[in-house]
Amino acid sequence: MPKPESPFAIRLARLTGRLVLALAAVTTLALAFLALIALTDGAGSGLVAWSATLATGVALAAWRSRHRPWPARLVPFVPVAVAAALTATVCVPTAPTDRQYPPDLPFVATQHWELDTGSRVAVYHYPPAKAEARQPVPLVYLHGGPVRSISVQDHRFLQLLARQGHDVYAYEQAGGGRSDLLPMSQYTISRSVRDLAALVDRLDQGRADVLGFSGGGVVLTRALADPRVAARLHRAVIAEPGPMDGPTARLAGHKGRPSARALAPAPTGPRSTHVPRYAVAFGLMRLGLLTPETGLIGQAEGDNAFTAADLGSDTASAYCARDADRIPVEDTAQNFSFSAAASLRVQRTVKDSPPLAPQLRSSRTPVMLMIAECSSQVRQWATAVLAAVPGIGRTQYMPGVGHHMWNGLDDNNTRAAAVITAYLQDRPAPLPNYPSREEIPAFLHDRK
């Protein structure tokens, strides 16, 4: 006959069962809370979802305890209390809710310009180092992101361009860096294009050359499709562009040669996503379960909370695999600023936009396209621009660099500056013109 279980073993089994049931109850309530956060779009800093979850949990606990003696009646309420305490952390801000702008940089003055569009943007001016080498046309830099600060690494590259004789103006797009925030509904790719036109007008120097990198390349590409804005552009340099419209955004295809994304050490430093509130907010936004206009966290709070480490392996993806163990620090913690919500909203307006190619085919602005060897971008994003823009007279395939082509490693900054300067000064290209439009199929096949 089987040996009967001891009283201790029986009590232990019962206790284990109760703990499992309690853990299941806490998990169920937490999942219900997350579902309600998504359904209510985080209304009231998450308190609407929290209150509904708590009320439901209390009601179920009261029903379960109705036939129990008095001390035992409290047991079903324990998982509810635990779940309420855990989920309450999602509703309580730990970052300032008023925008905390980065301090001024020590090496360049921060100017604030009111544009005719209503945007108030932070502008940085790097005049030519030598007056005799000054180029007659100003150069405007459109940074990537979108809606982030210009990195210190980019500022160093702009200083290099100024030493080549360029009169460089850079501005942080509305909502990014030291520029003023916009209402969330006003973050659109069309607004970004209008801001570019307004800034060139504010320079009051006639037409301007524009260098657009990554997300800035998208703004510049779309500017070429608007005759009123394109009329303000002298020459355009589109470097490593993102998708220019909805059809392009839906393309899936080859990328460049391997990047350092899966090879580089994990970024160090504090992460907002280690805090439950921001882990939930940014995670659900990225999954599309919260809108950029969510009531869970305000725009200013989200900007204040987000850190460079929250970008994870995105930074490493901008470098070649061979550089995985020597990726430079792109920015300082004091200067870094990124609005995840506003960035997602701008990107959504790109994804929702109709084909741009018909408008681009009438553009006559001279353009150069730059593509990196180890690009983390889908190749078809760049080749779609190459195929659609008749003004592209020069394409420069940059060997040995990733998406962030001017990155301070080796002579990468010097090579990128040489390519840009040669084009803007109408001098022979340092590199072969590759790929041409006719070479797009071979390029997509050979440069995987």
Side-chain angles (χ1 to χ4, degrees):
M1 296 181 61
K3 185 178 180 181
E5 293 188 50
S6 67
F8 174 77
I10 295 173
R11 288 196 298 269
L12 180 61
R14 288 175 179 173
L15 178 60
T16 302
R18 288 169 183 169
L19 288 174
V20 170
L21 290 174
L23 181 60
V26 171
T27 302
T28 300
L29 288 171
L31 291 174
F33 169 74
L34 292 177
L36 286 171
I37 285 284
L39 289 172
T40 61
D41 200 25
S45 195
L47 289 173
V48 171
W50 184 82
S51 300
T53 304
L54 179 61
T56 302
V58 168
L60 290 173
W63 181 82
R64 289 183 60 205
S65 66
R66 67 191 187 283
H67 298 307
R68 300 186 183 195
W70 170 242
R73 286 186 181 183
L74 297 177
V75 173
F77 290 92
V78 173
V80 178
V82 172
L86 290 174
T87 54
T89 61
V90 177
C91 305
V92 180
T94 60
T97 55
D98 293 326
R99 182 71 176 104
Q100 306 295 301
Y101 291 95
D104 287 350
L105 293 164
F107 50 81
V108 63
T110 304
Q111 306 174 46
H112 286 93
W113 291 8
E114 299 275 358
L115 302 181
D116 290 343
T117 57
S119 298
R120 185 172 183 266
V121 297
V123 180
Y124 310 92
H125 182 207
Y126 293 104
K130 296 180 181 179
E132 62 274 14
R134 184 188 189 102
Q135 297 301 306
V137 180
L139 173 60
V140 174
Y141 177 61
L142 282 171
H143 62 85
V147 198
R148 65 180 295 174
S149 55
I150 299 174
S151 70
V152 171
Q153 194 74 260
D154 279 8
H155 276 288
R156 292 181 183 134
F157 182 66
L158 299 177
Q159 291 171 325
L160 175 58
L161 291 176
R163 291 196 292 272
Q164 306 298 316
H166 298 287
D167 190 16
V168 181
Y169 291 86
Y171 70 99
E172 286 164 327
Q173 295 159 39
R178 297 162 187 82
S179 293
D180 285 6
L181 306 181
L182 295 175
M184 190 59 71
S185 62
Q186 295 185 24
Y187 289 107
T188 65
I189 191 64
S190 297
R191 176 60 171 265
S192 300
V193 172
R194 294 197 301 273
D195 282 350
L196 169 62
L199 185 123
V200 173
D201 287 346
R202 176 69 185 265
L203 291 178
D204 197 24
Q205 297 184 47
R207 293 186 299 169
D209 293 329
V210 181
L211 165 61
F213 165 65
S214 192
V218 177
V219 176
L220 182 51
T221 301
R222 297 185 70 92
L224 295 172
D226 186 333
R228 296 166 298 178
V229 182
R232 296 168 167 89
L233 309 182
H234 178 252
R235 290 195 173 202
V237 178
I238 300 173
E240 281 286 288
M244 64 182 182
D245 56 22
T248 309
R250 290 187 284 274
L251 289 174
H254 303 309
K255 298 184 179 181
R257 298 192 187 280
S259 76
R261 185 181 186 91
L263 303 173
T268 59
R271 295 191 183 200
S272 69
T273 47
H274 288 169
V275 179
R277 177 173 175 82
Y278 306 113
V280 169
F282 296 136
L284 293 182
M285 267 193 273
R286 188 159 188 174
L287 292 172
L289 298 176
L290 284 182
T291 69
E293 299 86 353
T294 178
L296 182 57
I297 58 171
Q299 179 185 174
E301 182 190 349
D303 292 3
N304 295 334
F306 203 92
T307 70
D310 286 324
L311 292 174
S313 58
D314 284 357
T315 298
S317 70
Y319 291 82
C320 290
R322 66 179 72 95
D323 297 323
D325 294 326
R326 57 170 194 155
I327 293 176
V329 176
E330 293 196 342
D331 210 350
T332 63
Q334 295 74 24
N335 182 64
F336 177 84
S337 171
F338 181 69
S339 177
S343 180
L344 284 172
R345 195 176 194 289
V346 173
Q347 292 177 60
R348 178 191 294 172
T349 64
V350 174
K351 293 177 181 177
D352 292 342
S353 66
L356 195 66
Q359 296 95 304
L360 283 171
R361 292 191 185 104
S362 61
S363 173
R364 293 296 178 265
T365 304
V367 183
M368 178 176 73
L369 178 65
M370 299 175 69
I371 304 174
E373 178 186 10
C374 307
S375 177
S376 55
Q377 308 283 77
V378 174
R379 289 297 197 202
Q380 283 86 341
W381 295 349
T383 57
V385 177
L386 177 58
V389 180
I392 295 181
R394 185 180 293 186
T395 304
Q396 300 284 267
Y397 176 76
M398 305 292 294
V401 293
H403 178 60
H404 201 169
M405 292 182 284
W406 39 87
N407 52 39
L409 295 176
D410 305 327
D411 63 344
N412 293 340
N413 284 19
T414 303
R415 291 192 296 125
V419 165
I420 294 167
T421 298
Y423 179 70
L424 296 180
Q425 297 180 9
D426 200 23
R427 293 191 279 107
L431 298 170
N433 183 39
Y434 177 79
S436 65
R437 289 181 185 84
E438 295 73 21
E439 294 171 314
I440 288 176
F443 175 73
L444 293 176
H445 181 267
D446 295 338
R447 304 287 177 175
K448 297 181 181 179

